Amino acid sequence: MCELLGMSANVPTDICFSFSGFLHRGGGTGPHRDGWGIAFYEEGGYREFRDPYPSVDSPIARLICDYPIKSRVVISHIRHANVGNVRLANTHPFTREMWGRPWCYAHNGQLEGWQTLPLVFYTPVGDTDSEHAFCWLISELRQAFPRPPDEADVLWKFLHGLCEYLRGLGVFNLLLSDGEYLYTYCSTKLAHITRQAPFGEAELSDAEITVNFAEHTTADDVVSVIATQPLTHNETWQHLMPGELLVWHDGIIQARYSSNSSST
Amino acid sequence: MCELLGMSANVPTDICFSFSGFLHRGGGTGPHRDGWGIAFYEEGGYREFRDPYPSVDSPIARLICDYPIKSRVVISHIRHANVGNVRLANTHPFTREMWGRPWCYAHNGQLEGWQTLPLVFYTPVGDTDSEHAFCWLISELRQAFPRPPDEADVLWKFLHGLCEYLRGLGVFNLLLSDGEYLYTYCSTKLAHITRQAPFGEAELSDAEITVNFAEHTTADDVVSVIATQPLTHNETWQHLMPGELLVWHDGIIQARYSSNSSST
């Protein structure tokens, strides 16, 4: 299995604190030594960094900690290979352009029967179940919506249905974004926390680092972090329910879809 | 105008020496302060790095110099903005997946009437003439060849025709790759050098750095570097002719197409 880390914020925010703990799971406190990647949606565009080596030893991961990149949406992934060799083409997140936006995707879990998921517009570069499922998912979205629908809710409901279908094939915990919204879908485990005023101190679980967010924020900041497992041990994280899709925007939950019902 | 740097090699090779000179053109010896990017095709996949700031001051550019990434094909670009603001989404190289391969593209020049080039499968994320032309070019390729043709020459001739069409719209110096081949097309300026045994010393034009390639290579290595302007001052660089497309593979010219004739 792998580890997921996501962020949604209402102001450009760096993820250095969370990432400093997260990267230790890639060969330090966790066994996920098979590559890692991180994608940033910034005010001016999109960029990503990746390495096929353990994040705990990676000079590129160190750069991410030392060079604060401010963004509103971040998706990161640390890989523990199951399907597909350890190589750059198999590191998450994966990206494809749809509707003139870079869509970014990271997956935790393992699927069965993924090889027969039909592909239309997009083809995997590597050989993982994860990338194949992404190419299928975004192909389905594009077939259903050649252009972005006027009502976002229509898109989100459809996306929830696709996630539910993939959950039927195995374990499918998901982070997905088009830069505007962050979609988090839970198959087995995904936890989140929203930090806003009054800000307090947080202590990482994976490294001896403490931060007082009050020193780094303004009263209006809202920053949510989503991860496969809580990253701090002195805060209360919420857990998603299996089958639940949360749509994040500007750090808050804009819509929520569960297996049996939905609300926005 | 911008600066282009490309590499094709028959063994995984780092581009640290050439890039150390090249990055000085981004705000140091050259005026191209509006962002930069570099893409590597490695044995295991593809990755890229980019920054919307001058390369000469960029911590990410320094990392590229200090962390040798070995690859067979590299494309890099330093931007001097003309069409489109200075922002991440407008930095080259641009990438799109076609046929399960990441296609990477960088452009030097400026086009007229590019807004009406029709797009089919791909849509620009930013607002440059360069990215629009790329989306058009790769859409045309995909329409003509839904799958890779058996005869590569058919594809290359078609690509040369597309480049010639774009040259008719202005200045179009190009680096393009699918990871296997490096395509270099000259509209006004593009120079190349092939280094192979017996290797000698090279001195950068843009920084006081000298390298003795004999110390870093084996007798079978073939490494070619392509740039808008020669990067060293003690070697003889060849200049492409306007309208000429060179197809590089493993460091050598596999095919050559000119405005009036072609040969492979």
Side-chain angles (χ1 to χ4, degrees), chain B residues 207-224:
Chain B
E208 287 189 14
I209 302 177
T210 301
V211 69
N212 182 357
F213 287 113
E215 296 170 3
H216 302 276
T217 49
T218 69
D220 297 329
D221 293 6
V222 181
V223 180
S224 292

Side-chain angles (χ1 to χ4, degrees), chain A residues 250-262:
Chain A
D250 283 352
I252 63 164
I253 297 170
Q254 180 94 12
R256 184 187 295 264
Y257 302 86
S258 64
S259 282
N260 303 316
S261 63
S262 70

Side-chain angles (χ1 to χ4, degrees), chain A residues 3 10 35 68 70 76 109 122 129 139 160 166-168 177 189 207:
Chain A
E3 295 270 346
N10 69 343
K70 305 246 181 198
S76 184
Y122 304 95
D129 52 350
S139 286
H160 183 247
L166 289 171
R167 184 162 73 109
S177 182
K189 56 178 179 176

Side-chain angles (χ1 to χ4, degrees), chain A residues 40 42-53 58-60 63 67 69 87-90 96-97 99-102 120-125 135 142, chain B residues 40 42-53 58-60 63 67 69 87-90 96-97 99-102 120-125 135 142:
Chain A
F40 298 90
E42 300 171 58
E43 294 277 303
Y46 173 84
R47 64 176 145 178
E48 53 182 39
F49 299 83
R50 59 182 69 244
D51 217 356
Y53 309 111
S58 166
I60 302 172
L63 176 83
Y67 182 55
I69 292 178
R87 63 189 186 102
L88 203 52
N90 289 341
R96 293 293 186 281
E97 172 262 306
W99 308 331
R101 304 176 200 163
V120 181
F121 298 103
Y122 304 95
T123 306
V125 174
C135 289
R142 189 164 167 173
Chain B
F40 298 91
E42 300 170 58
E43 294 277 301
Y46 173 85
R47 64 177 144 178
E48 52 181 40
F49 300 83
R50 58 181 69 244
D51 217 356
Y53 310 111
S58 166
I60 303 173
L63 176 84
Y67 182 54
I69 292 177
R87 63 189 186 103
L88 203 52
N90 289 341
R96 292 294 187 281
E97 174 261 306
W99 309 331
R101 304 177 200 160
V120 181
F121 299 103
Y122 304 96
T123 306
V125 174
C135 289
R142 188 163 168 173

Side-chain angles (χ1 to χ4, degrees), chain A residues 24-101:
Chain A
H24 283 274
R25 298 183 180 175
T29 54
H32 318 87
R33 299 186 61 83
D34 303 330
W36 65 277
I38 189 166
F40 298 90
Y41 290 94
E42 300 171 58
E43 294 277 303
Y46 173 84
R47 64 176 145 178
E48 53 182 39
F49 299 83
R50 59 182 69 244
D51 217 356
Y53 309 111
S55 55
V56 72
D57 301 325
S58 166
I60 302 172
R62 275 204 303 279
L63 176 83
I64 300 302
C65 295
D66 297 342
Y67 182 55
I69 292 178
K70 305 246 181 198
S71 64
R72 286 179 184 233
V73 177
V74 174
I75 288 180
S76 184
H77 182 275
I78 296 177
R79 184 162 185 246
H80 184 62
N82 41 52
V83 178
N85 291 339
V86 177
R87 63 189 186 102
L88 203 52
N90 289 341
T91 61
H92 307 221
F94 300 104
T95 315
R96 293 293 186 281
E97 172 262 306
M98 178 169 69
W99 308 331
R101 304 176 200 163

Side-chain angles (χ1 to χ4, degrees), chain A residues 1-198:
Chain A
M1 291 298 179
C2 309
E3 295 270 346
L4 299 170
L5 169 64
M7 186 190 81
S8 168
N10 69 343
V11 288
T13 303
D14 78 67
I15 199 163
C16 293
F17 173 72
S18 296
F19 188 74
S20 295
F22 186 65
L23 73 86
H24 283 274
R25 298 183 180 175
T29 54
H32 318 87
R33 299 186 61 83
D34 303 330
W36 65 277
I38 189 166
F40 298 90
Y41 290 94
E42 300 171 58
E43 294 277 303
Y46 173 84
R47 64 176 145 178
E48 53 182 39
F49 299 83
R50 59 182 69 244
D51 217 356
Y53 309 111
S55 55
V56 72
D57 301 325
S58 166
I60 302 172
R62 275 204 303 279
L63 176 83
I64 300 302
C65 295
D66 297 342
Y67 182 55
I69 292 178
K70 305 246 181 198
S71 64
R72 286 179 184 233
V73 177
V74 174
I75 288 180
S76 184
H77 182 275
I78 296 177
R79 184 162 185 246
H80 184 62
N82 41 52
V83 178
N85 291 339
V86 177
R87 63 189 186 102
L88 203 52
N90 289 341
T91 61
H92 307 221
F94 300 104
T95 315
R96 293 293 186 281
E97 172 262 306
M98 178 169 69
W99 308 331
R101 304 176 200 163
W103 286 73
C104 171
Y105 159 108
H107 166 225
N108 159 279
Q110 197 166 349
L111 304 173
E112 300 213 343
W114 53 273
Q115 296 90 340
T116 55
L117 290 169
L119 304 174
V120 181
F121 298 103
Y122 304 95
T123 306
V125 174
D127 52 0
T128 61
D129 52 350
S130 302
E131 190 187 11
H132 192 107
F134 173 44
C135 289
W136 172 78
L137 185 147
I138 196 166
S139 286
E140 293 290 311
L141 284 176
R142 189 164 167 173
Q143 278 189 287
F145 306 101
R147 296 178 182 192
D150 293 333
E151 297 291 325
D153 181 54
V154 178
L155 174 69
W156 300 341
K157 273 195 185 120
F158 188 80
L159 173 63
H160 183 247
L162 298 176
C163 292
E164 289 281 271
Y165 183 83
L166 289 171
R167 184 162 73 109
L169 303 184
V171 174
F172 187 71
N173 298 302
L174 165 80
L175 301 183
L176 176 73
S177 182
D178 65 348
E180 188 70 19
Y181 298 97
L182 174 66
Y183 304 97
T184 63
Y185 176 77
C186 177
S187 167
T188 55
K189 56 178 179 176
L190 213 48
H192 61 93
I193 189 166
T194 297
R195 298 181 181 121
Q196 51 195 326

